[in-house]
Amino acid sequence: MNYLKRLLAINSKKEIPTSTSPDKAKKIDLAKLSVLELKSELLHSFGHTADLQVDEAKVGKSNVMIVYLESVVNTDFLKEMLGKTLESPVENEVKITTVDDLKELSKRSFGVSGYEIIKTLDDIVSGILDGRVIIVFEGIPAALSLSYINSEGRTVAEPTTQTVVRGPKDAFVEDASVNLNLIRKRIKNHNLHFEKFMIGNESRTTVYMGYMNAIVNDKILAEVRKRLKSINIAAIFESSNIEEMIIDKTATVFPLAMNTERPDSVASNLMDGKIVIITDGTPFVLLVPVVLTDFFTSAEDYYQNYVMSSFVRLIRYISFMIGLLMPSAYVGVLTFHPELLPTTLLLSIIAQREGVPFPAVVEVFIMEITFEILREAGVRMPRAVGQTVSIVGALVIGQAAAEAGIISNIMVIIVAITAIANFVFPNYSFANASRLIRFILIIVASILGLYGVLLVLVFMVAHLSSLRSFGVPYLAPVAPFVVEDQKDVFIRFPLWSINKRPSYLSTNETKKQKKTDSPSPPQPEGGK
């Protein structure tokens, strides 16, 4: 113990190395550096990395240095466009001696390339990391930054986790600019605003925050912006990293932000007054704030008849209760409350369990953990065999275990129904929360029976009531109950009748559309 204390004391005295990220680089003016000194600084900053290209060229009578990372720049397009510009007869006669001359050259030759005039070493390093081409003119205290970013990546395809039978088939990709375009295609409105953030001290990941300026609640918008700006982390690689850094600091298994890869779902939520967070490098986009009922809603609910949509949505709520309670109810009833079962069913279950050597709770745990292993194996294995392993493995293992007398047949049925019910949820992260709570309910049911199950449910509802997503109650609009918001909660009313946005968002513009009546068939001539 004393050795451990001394070791911890020694480690606590060690100095933490200073970050070499561009955010902490010195703001050195280019006026203080010659071209050779700048080249040396850049090579030192990037550690002589193999993909850093430092080329020398001549524009008119001026010597220039061209710097870029060939791994993130479209080199073919760069050579074609830049070569034509620098070798044109007009530019060969130009002499660049001042910053004004550089601006004139930029307007004339690079007006369509998204050029910028930068004046510090920090801006040059940041531009190179962002995939821009930097042109430094000798004797001028400024540099030219051009955008020739390599936009190669995965093309837009169908969603992989949120599929629909009827509705748009495109999904977000890893390129944030493409994702912005997919949203703009659906909302052609000047009130759709996006704010850009660079998050991650080392990774400098591009993150966009989008919202409808005339609709969104200003206080919620300010809170989201504040939390994004306050993120202090080394690297961001996925939107889940952003989610963990901005959600309310509450220990909970329930997601307080919703992720989706469907542009139509994002557009619909933006029109309701919610805020979208797009992270470069991932196809999963965050939506905030969210409430519990959002996770029972699918994009397809609005693409089919409202009666059928309401029926399917009720099925999701029933599936949630089945997936949450069925194994624990089996353990509780069989162990403590067998009188609740009909006599015939009870005798049938007892007969099936006659040769099973384990109590009900152990039997449930064996099957539940086995199924979780098969589920993870199906996800991690190659796509060609993953589905086969998960389905065939479950059937073979379940049948073999029942024939061997390790588990009963009724247990196989219960676990199968529970697993299928758990797959009904449109959102995968919410399904994970119910999986974890199910194990807690099983343990409590084996100790206290159905009373323990009811007690856990009471604590769960109390916990849900205490949750907030950026200040919005997690159980809204059910608790607190808002009558006018019930048109799109457990069932969906016709679209023409939903003329107000959710009141719990307190949007600047509460009306979603003008109040209209149900379309009616035309009256016959002369009829009343």
Side-chain angles (χ1 to χ4, degrees):
M1 180 63 70
N2 292 332
Y3 173 76
L4 180 60
K5 290 181 179 179
R6 289 196 301 270
L7 181 61
L8 293 175
I10 293 173
N11 289 337
S12 63
K13 295 179 182 179
K14 290 183 179 180
E15 295 184 359
I16 300 175
T18 305
S19 173
T20 58
S21 65
D23 288 337
K24 298 184 179 180
K26 295 180 180 179
K27 299 271 186 184
I28 302 177
D29 291 334
L30 296 183
K32 300 179 180 179
L33 298 174
S34 65
V35 174
L36 291 178
E37 291 173 338
L38 177 60
K39 180 178 179 180
S40 177
E41 287 285 346
L42 292 175
L43 292 176
H44 176 73
S45 297
F46 286 91
H48 297 271
T49 178
D51 58 343
L52 178 67
Q53 295 296 315
V54 182
D55 301 326
E56 296 181 357
K58 201 173 185 66
V59 179
K61 299 180 180 179
S62 302
N63 295 322
V64 300
M65 181 175 67
I66 304 173
V67 189
Y68 59 92
L69 289 173
E70 64 177 352
S71 55
V72 294
V73 169
N74 190 335
T75 54
D76 294 334
F77 185 65
L78 170 66
K79 293 176 181 178
E80 180 182 354
M81 299 301 295
L82 198 60
K84 289 181 180 180
T85 302
L86 297 182
E87 295 174 3
S88 64
V90 176
E91 307 306 342
N92 286 333
E93 302 299 327
V94 174
K95 186 176 183 181
I96 310 299
T97 57
T98 64
V99 176
D100 292 335
D101 294 338
L102 181 59
K103 292 180 179 179
E104 289 297 326
L105 173 67
S106 304
K107 292 179 183 179
R108 182 171 60 253
S109 302
F110 305 104
V112 296
S113 301
Y115 73 89
E116 293 179 7
I117 303 298
I118 53 180
K119 298 183 179 181
T120 65
L121 175 61
D122 178 60
D123 292 336
I124 290 180
V125 175
S126 299
I128 294 173
L129 292 173
D130 289 338
R132 301 180 71 87
V133 177
I134 308 299
I135 303 178
V136 182
F137 287 78
E138 187 176 14
I140 300 177
L144 180 61
S145 176
L146 303 174
S147 178
Y148 290 106
I149 301 175
N150 188 355
S151 58
E152 292 183 2
R154 186 168 62 94
T155 57
V156 177
E158 291 190 27
T160 57
T161 60
Q162 297 171 322
T163 57
V164 296
V165 177
R166 180 178 179 179
K169 301 296 183 180
D170 55 346
F172 290 123
V173 295
E174 287 74 13
D175 191 342
S177 60
V178 176
N179 296 340
L180 295 181
N181 181 32
L182 291 174
I183 298 175
R184 288 281 185 189
K185 281 183 177 180
R186 288 168 170 80
I187 304 179
K188 298 180 176 66
N189 193 313
H190 64 278
N191 285 314
L192 178 58
H193 293 181
F194 290 101
E195 297 182 15
K196 184 178 179 180
F197 302 85
M198 301 298 292
I199 300 179
N201 298 332
E202 306 295 340
S203 65
R204 292 181 57 80
T205 305
T206 303
V207 177
Y208 292 93
M209 179 181 68
Y211 55 91
M212 293 296 295
N213 188 47
I215 300 174
V216 68
N217 183 299
D218 295 330
K219 291 183 179 179
I220 297 178
L221 176 62
E223 181 65 22
V224 177
R225 184 186 293 116
K226 175 185 174 183
R227 295 188 188 186
L228 286 175
K229 288 183 178 179
S230 64
I231 294 178
N232 185 12
I233 192 173
I236 295 291
F237 299 111
E238 219 277 334
S239 57
S240 61
N241 304 143
I242 298 288
E243 181 180 353
E244 285 192 33
M245 299 297 292
I246 65 173
I247 60 173
D248 295 45
K249 293 181 175 61
T250 306
T252 181
V253 297
F254 294 95
L256 298 179
M258 185 167 66
N259 65 81
T260 178
E261 57 176 341
R262 296 192 60 86
D264 56 331
S265 180
V266 168
S268 175
N269 281 275
L270 283 172
M271 297 304 298
D272 282 339
K274 294 187 179 181
I275 300 170
V276 59
I277 299 174
I278 303 170
T279 306
D280 193 29
T282 175
F284 290 95
V285 170
L286 296 180
L287 284 167
V288 294
V290 294
V291 294
L292 181 67
T293 56
D294 288 336
F295 296 98
F296 293 89
T297 303
S298 172
E300 195 174 11
D301 291 351
Y302 305 96
Y303 304 144
Q304 56 185 349
N305 183 273
Y306 68 93
V307 177
M308 192 63 199
S309 297
S310 301
F311 172 74
V312 173
R313 190 174 294 183
L314 289 175
I315 291 295
R316 294 192 194 110
Y317 284 99
I318 295 173
S319 299
F320 173 69
M321 299 306 297
I322 291 175
L324 196 65
L325 297 176
M326 180 166 278
S328 57
Y330 171 80
V331 173
V333 169
L334 204 61
T335 307
F336 292 94
H337 315 283
E339 67 277 2
L340 296 178
L341 295 176
T343 304
T344 306
L345 178 60
L346 180 61
L347 293 175
S348 175
I349 294 176
I350 293 174
Q352 292 180 37
R353 287 186 45 79
E354 186 175 357
V356 177
F358 305 110
V361 61
V362 176
E363 185 184 14
V364 171
F365 265 107
I366 289 175
M367 285 303 297
E368 285 289 342
I369 293 176
T370 301
F371 183 80
E372 293 295 332
I373 293 173
L374 289 172
R375 184 208 298 261
E376 287 301 310
V379 172
R380 310 304 168 197
M381 292 188 68
R383 186 174 299 178
V385 296
Q387 187 174 4
T388 304
V389 169
S390 60
I391 295 176
V392 175
L395 293 175
V396 172
I397 292 176
Q399 183 178 358
E403 292 178 355
I406 299 175
I407 60 172
S408 59
N409 291 323
I410 188 68
M411 189 67 254
V412 177
I413 296 174
I414 289 175
V415 171
I417 295 176
T418 302
I420 294 173
N422 210 48
F423 286 126
V424 173
F425 300 112
N427 191 280
Y428 183 76
S429 60
F430 187 78
N432 289 338
S434 66
R435 288 164 61 187
L436 184 59
I437 298 175
R438 184 165 65 243
F439 283 98
I440 298 175
L441 287 168
I442 293 171
I443 295 173
V444 176
S446 67
I447 301 173
L448 301 175
L450 295 183
Y451 300 108
V453 173
L454 181 60
L455 188 63
V456 172
L457 290 180
V458 170
F459 277 111
M460 186 183 76
V461 173
H463 173 66
L464 291 172
S465 300
S466 67
L467 294 179
R468 297 290 185 274
S469 177
F470 295 88
V472 175
Y474 198 59
L475 291 183
V478 179
F481 187 79
V482 182
V483 177
E484 59 184 8
D485 288 345
Q486 302 305 312
K487 294 182 179 181
D488 194 18
V489 179
F490 298 105
I491 60 175
R492 180 178 80 79
F493 279 47
L495 291 177
W496 52 263
S497 67
I498 307 176
N499 49 32
K500 288 188 177 181
R501 295 185 172 88
S503 60
Y504 57 82
L505 292 175
S506 301
T507 55
N508 292 331
E509 182 59 49
T510 58
K511 289 186 178 181
K512 192 172 185 178
Q513 60 192 19
K514 292 182 179 180
K515 189 174 182 180
T516 57
D517 295 328
S518 171
S520 302
Q523 294 292 335
E525 294 183 3
K528 295 183 179 179

